[in-house]
Amino acid sequence: MRVLPSGTRGLLLELDSLEEVLERYAALADADLPVLDLVPAGRTILLVGDRDVDLDDLRRRVEQVGPGEHVAGEAAPLELPVRYDGEDLGEAAELLGWSTDELVRRHLAAEWTVAFCGFAPGFGYLVPDGEEWDVPRRSSPRTKVPARSLALAGGFTGVYPRESPGGWQLVGHTEVDVFDPDRDPPALLVPGLRVTFVEAS
Amino acid sequence: MTTSLRVVEPGPLTTVQDFGRPGRAALGIGRSGACDRGAHRLANALVGNHPTLATLEVTLGGLSLVADGDVVVATTGARCPGSAPHLAPFVLRAGESFELGMPAAGLRTYVAVRGGVDVEPVLGSRATDVLSGLGPKAVEAGDVLPVGVTGRPLPNVDVAPVPEPTNGPLRLPVLRGPRRDWFDDAAWERLTSQAWTVDSDSNRVGVRLAGEPLARAREGELVSEGMLRGALQVPPSGLPVLFLADHPVTGGYPVIGYVDDEAVDLCAQLRPGQQVTFVAARTDPSDPAAR
């Protein structure tokens, strides 16, 4: 783990893999650190202190937190009802070397974990428990991707929380809003959460 | 009946702001809030508000309001010509209006009303985030803004003598950022020696800077990582963006440096065309040579 500077209120932890980020994030989230925000990303975790933060002290505390173990929680994974009717389903299946039925079967069979959020409020980047899903982004992004679109790109699956531009391959849509600022909780997909997709009846 | 303020003209951009939505970045929700937090805090203090109550952030003046009841108001930040005193609380009687002209220096003026601008909060904050779209929409002509109530005492202050924004070149202390090593010493030298010009394409997300571009010492793509306000991110153009309140939660271009958080408020007052220089902080705890 490398600790990189991020101004007078932040520290950026750089790790070797996404798995390490998941483990470290779980351990840091449990460690009751004096931080306003813990922001996991693909290879890093940003720690954000308040105005009075003592970064040297924070750094010492972080170094004392063990790498932790990203153990699957006891709670059952969140089941997200989806329909596989996306415009790019065929293309995505072809890129993966599968039939569309095979893509759907594997997407339903995998257990996914929200690794981190970004891009828009409530947009989670989910990684599968088994083999990697290596799907490139579309060569030309769409200017309008509908809200609730279930998509694939760069080893992740995700759901667009609202209509926005986007370059991911659209394979379906969810039956629920993954983000709603008026709901508690506003975001369904939070870092560390396990998710399985179920076909909406 | 609650008091309210009726917006006659919003000017180029007026938004409701407070200290934003800290603690939700892991959900992809940026903090947002007042760009110049100090000016927002002071405006609230002048009318006896708790610092977390919402104010109006007025960009380049132009706001005109009518009160429908007696209210205590104060303005801070960029000083606008017009009917209102600046850095001093005043009473606006029912039916009276006040107008903010275009400031001669500085960009953002904060208007606090005793009791706070009491629009409906979204995720614990009344701040408008122009990047994510969270929070109330920007203020428009005809809007009626409810005013809250507070039991806190009014401060015994006639005027707050604080330094005001100027049009002159702004010197900002800069610290090495997490990706300083993506740039060679010549690029760091170029960052800290030239006078950058604030581009007109700047907004609440960030201040875009024009000048001699910074060349990267290394190729390749950065995996997106978390950022804070004050980050100096260098996109492929080599022209840095200095992030403000509505910055994206994560970014995929290297951050060469950070402006000291306490100095970011000054950046919020930078106007297009104004000059900025970055001065490497004398004691940079993130400089390996200083350890």
Side-chain angles (χ1 to χ4, degrees):
Chain A
M1 178 179 75
R2 282 209 303 158
V3 183
L4 302 170
S6 282
T8 45
R9 292 179 58 167
L11 291 177
L12 189 69
L13 313 185
E14 185 176 49
L15 299 149
D16 291 330
S17 66
L18 184 56
E19 292 69 41
E20 265 190 59
V21 170
L22 280 166
E23 289 172 7
R24 216 21 110 144
Y25 176 73
L28 292 171
D30 281 345
D32 198 26
L33 296 167
V35 290
L36 284 181
D37 265 311
L38 266 183
V39 194
R43 290 289 179 280
T44 55
I45 302 170
L46 177 68
L47 292 104
V48 183
D50 66 12
R51 282 174 92 194
D52 309 317
V53 67
D54 176 345
L55 289 181
D56 287 333
D57 178 60
L58 183 59
R59 185 190 179 118
R60 275 191 296 274
R61 291 210 203 189
V62 166
E63 283 167 348
Q64 280 162 14
V65 176
E69 222 173 293
H70 176 64
V71 284
E74 286 115 53
L78 175 77
E79 288 191 353
L80 213 51
V82 296
R83 287 182 197 277
Y84 293 92
D85 55 2
E87 276 180 49
D88 306 326
L89 183 61
E91 193 180 329
E94 207 170 296
L95 286 162
L96 286 160
W98 301 330
S99 67
T100 56
D101 284 353
E102 183 71 2
L103 183 154
V104 170
R105 194 188 64 74
R106 288 176 184 245
H107 201 267
L108 289 166
E111 184 178 286
W112 301 80
T113 300
V114 182
F116 53 90
C117 294
F119 173 64
F123 189 103
Y125 290 71
L126 282 69
V127 288
D129 55 352
E131 63 195 300
E132 274 189 45
W133 287 57
D134 195 11
V135 185
R137 295 161 58 89
R138 289 171 54 83
S139 49
S140 70
R142 288 186 170 85
T143 52
K144 261 189 192 180
V145 173
R148 297 186 174 185
S149 292
L150 173 69
L152 296 171
F156 299 102
T157 199
V159 180
Y160 284 81
R162 55 166 192 210
E163 184 183 285
S164 64
W168 289 29
Q169 310 275 356
L170 310 184
V171 297
H173 76 273
T174 60
E175 295 285 292
V176 293
D177 287 321
V178 291
F179 183 74
D180 176 355
D182 298 324
R183 182 183 61 199
D184 188 21
L188 293 186
L189 304 176
V190 302
L193 181 79
R194 293 176 305 132
V195 176
T196 55
F197 295 95
V198 292
E199 210 153 16
S201 49
Chain B
M1 203 189 89
T2 55
T3 311
S4 57
L5 300 172
R6 188 165 52 82
V7 179
V8 180
E9 286 296 337
L13 176 68
T14 295
T15 57
V16 179
Q17 296 297 338
D18 53 20
F19 287 126
R21 304 177 180 84
R24 299 176 192 265
L27 307 180
I29 300 170
R31 174 157 175 177
S32 187
C35 278
D36 183 342
R37 289 182 194 156
H40 161 81
R41 194 180 284 117
L42 178 63
N44 270 330
L46 286 173
V47 296
N49 282 347
H50 192 272
T52 54
L53 293 191
T55 63
L56 295 175
E57 181 183 277
V58 184
T59 316
L60 275 177
L63 174 72
S64 152
L65 292 172
V66 180
D68 80 349
D70 295 357
V71 288
V72 180
V73 177
T75 66
T76 60
R79 178 186 289 266
C80 298
S83 53
H86 191 58
L87 297 173
F90 61 96
V91 175
L92 200 61
R93 300 280 172 208
E96 281 183 351
S97 67
F98 92 103
E99 281 145 37
L100 298 176
M102 184 165 150
L107 183 66
R108 295 183 169 97
T109 305
Y110 292 82
V111 180
V113 55
R114 181 164 169 80
V117 179
D118 197 22
V119 295
E120 200 58 39
V122 176
L123 295 172
S125 164
R126 297 177 172 86
T128 297
D129 183 335
V130 301
L131 185 72
S132 74
L134 287 178
K137 61 180 176 48
V139 171
E140 292 174 6
D143 282 358
V144 176
L145 304 170
V147 175
V149 287
T150 178
R152 290 163 65 99
L154 268 169
N156 195 11
V157 174
D158 293 332
V159 66
V162 295
E164 294 186 40
T166 71
N167 284 330
L170 183 63
R171 282 165 58 91
L172 293 166
V174 67
L175 303 162
R176 301 160 56 91
R179 303 299 168 191
R180 162 68 180 86
D181 62 355
W182 282 49
F183 302 86
D184 59 20
D185 289 345
W188 181 257
E189 176 68 23
R190 187 169 268 197
L191 173 72
T192 53
S193 62
Q194 70 174 302
W196 297 89
T197 304
V198 174
D199 196 88
S200 59
D201 200 14
S202 304
N203 56 21
R204 284 182 43 84
V205 175
V207 177
R208 292 178 183 277
L209 299 168
E212 289 293 316
L214 306 177
R216 269 197 208 171
R218 100 153 68 164
E219 290 309 310
E221 267 191 65
L222 182 71
V223 179
S224 288
E225 57 195 24
M227 299 182 304
L228 286 168
R229 74 171 198 162
L232 279 164
Q233 192 195 51
V234 184
S237 68
L239 300 175
V241 180
L242 197 177
F243 280 120
L244 297 181
D246 290 354
H247 67 83
V249 174
T250 56
Y253 299 125
V255 171
I256 188 173
Y258 262 92
V259 171
D260 188 313
D261 188 69
E262 294 296 318
V264 177
D265 282 357
L266 303 173
C267 307
Q269 296 296 354
L270 285 167
R271 281 164 76 131
Q274 204 170 338
Q275 306 252 292
V276 182
T277 53
F278 297 103
V279 185
R282 255 183 307 152
T283 52
D284 183 349
S286 55
D287 182 352
R291 280 194 180 269

